[in-house]
Amino acid sequence: MKHQSSTLAVPETSAVPRHVAIIMDGNGRWATKRFLPRVAGHAKGVDAVRSIVEACAERGIEFLTLFAFSSENWRRPADEVSVLMRLFMTVLEREVGKMAANGIRLKIVGDMSRFDPKLQEMAAKAEAQTAANSRLTLTVCANYGGRWDVMQAVSKMIKDKPGHADFTEEELAPYLAMAYAPEPDLFIRTGGEQRISNFLLWQLAYSELYFTETFWPDFDAKALDLAIASYQQRERRFGRTSAQVLDQKKAS
Ligand code: FPP
């Protein structure tokens, strides 16, 4: 399905965001505050993922995208990286059956080539097992970076059209890793920091940004509703004036 680009056209919007993208930050601090090892925060973070996936599906959100591991997260201590990798495998092993049964389509996006071949294989199987589902598309970004995404898309596009110059945004769009999804309506970052951290740089062009101090393991359905309520108060102008937005609302 081809989705409208927010810079080429004014996309249709709805009261419930179609696509929510989240940077799940604060796992480490959640654990440290409780005198627990950082990895305990990641384990608790998995519980939060489970409940937010279900809460999003219940609210009619069609796409949920989670930043699980950035291309810069390899800079972390080796033992934390390896615990995260094991956690991803355990989650894939334990949760995919449930996702398949609950109508969740799983997509894993990022440069998977750096991961253990076993994890790559499990990810591919999980995607295949849930491919026919349509209740909610859950995208897990792993070894993902917004700049990586743009560069891999540019490289593939140029390879496909040798000798071609003056490419357009429309020509690039199908090569982006998340071409199957509309651009995020709502971006959420937990844990108090207010930055994008090389997440979906291209796709966040006109997303509404929401930052909360809540650490990811504490982010529950109530916290999600607060984010959605904030989103519902925003006027999405996409470059237009407020008067134009109101006129369009009246006309529709
Ligand atoms: C950020 O918290 C979190 C991560 C880098 C890992 C996120 C992983 C999970 C929530 C678990 C697995 C998820 C899936 C989808 C299977 P942080 O460690 O940067 O926290 P801090 O800023 O408090 O140190």
Side-chain angles (χ1 to χ4, degrees):
M1 183 181 173
K2 196 168 174 283
H3 294 287
Q4 284 166 327
S5 152
S6 58
T7 47
L8 299 179
V10 177
E12 273 175 46
T13 55
S14 47
V16 174
R18 281 188 77 194
H19 183 175
V20 176
I22 308 183
I23 295 188
M24 310 176 287
D25 201 8
N27 291 347
R29 280 166 288 160
W30 180 94
T32 305
K33 216 175 95 183
R34 287 164 178 76
F35 307 103
L36 295 168
R38 290 176 54 82
V39 294
H42 296 314
K44 194 78 183 157
V46 174
D47 294 341
V49 168
R50 209 177 286 117
S51 69
I52 289 303
V53 169
E54 197 44 41
C56 284
E58 281 167 8
R59 283 155 183 73
I61 291 163
E62 295 168 64
F63 296 88
L64 172 65
T65 302
L66 302 175
F67 207 5
F69 196 86
S70 76
S71 30
E72 290 76 50
N73 281 147
W74 297 106
R75 296 172 185 158
R76 293 193 172 204
D79 57 343
E80 184 170 337
V81 170
S82 86
V83 166
L84 276 169
M85 294 301 145
R86 255 182 289 138
L87 197 61
F88 295 151
M89 288 212 230
T90 316
V91 171
L92 281 175
E93 226 158 46
R94 286 201 198 141
E95 307 286 334
V96 172
K98 278 182 251 170
M99 284 185 205
N102 288 335
I104 311 294
R105 171 169 74 141
L106 179 67
K107 299 283 249 178
I108 296 162
V109 156
D111 181 5
M112 291 295 287
S113 64
R114 209 172 148 185
F115 288 124
D116 183 328
K118 194 168 162 238
L119 181 52
Q120 293 184 41
E121 194 188 313
M122 288 171 78
K125 268 197 188 150
E127 283 195 343
Q129 202 182 330
T130 60
N133 284 342
S134 59
R135 186 163 161 247
L136 172 90
T137 298
L138 168 63
T139 301
V140 173
C141 295
N143 195 21
Y144 177 88
R147 290 187 180 180
W148 164 83
D149 194 3
V150 172
M151 292 318 295
Q152 66 80 29
V154 168
S155 307
K156 282 185 192 151
M157 181 180 70
I158 291 174
K159 221 179 266 168
D160 275 357
K161 294 171 186 162
H164 188 83
D166 299 327
F167 288 100
T168 65
E169 189 186 311
E170 250 170 332
E171 287 173 290
L172 181 73
Y175 293 95
L176 291 165
M178 289 194 63
Y180 54 86
E183 293 171 27
D185 298 294
L186 173 61
F187 160 93
I188 299 173
R189 182 176 186 140
T190 64
E193 313 290 353
Q194 302 197 355
R195 27 172 200 267
I196 306 285
S197 299
N198 196 19
F199 195 21
L200 304 155
L201 297 180
W202 180 281
Q203 298 86 342
L204 291 174
Y206 273 100
S207 306
E208 297 299 328
L209 308 182
Y210 178 84
F211 299 96
T212 171
E213 295 290 323
T214 305
F215 293 143
W216 176 251
D218 291 327
F219 193 83
D220 55 11
K222 233 168 93 184
L224 175 69
D225 285 336
L226 285 178
I228 295 174
S230 165
Y231 169 80
Q232 287 169 340
Q233 278 163 15
R234 315 280 177 97
E235 181 181 58
R236 303 198 72 193
R237 290 198 291 275
F238 297 101
R240 298 166 299 170
T241 66
S242 198
Q244 286 175 302
V245 176
L246 288 172
D247 281 348
Q248 192 216 8
K249 259 193 200 145
K250 272 187 230 151
S252 63

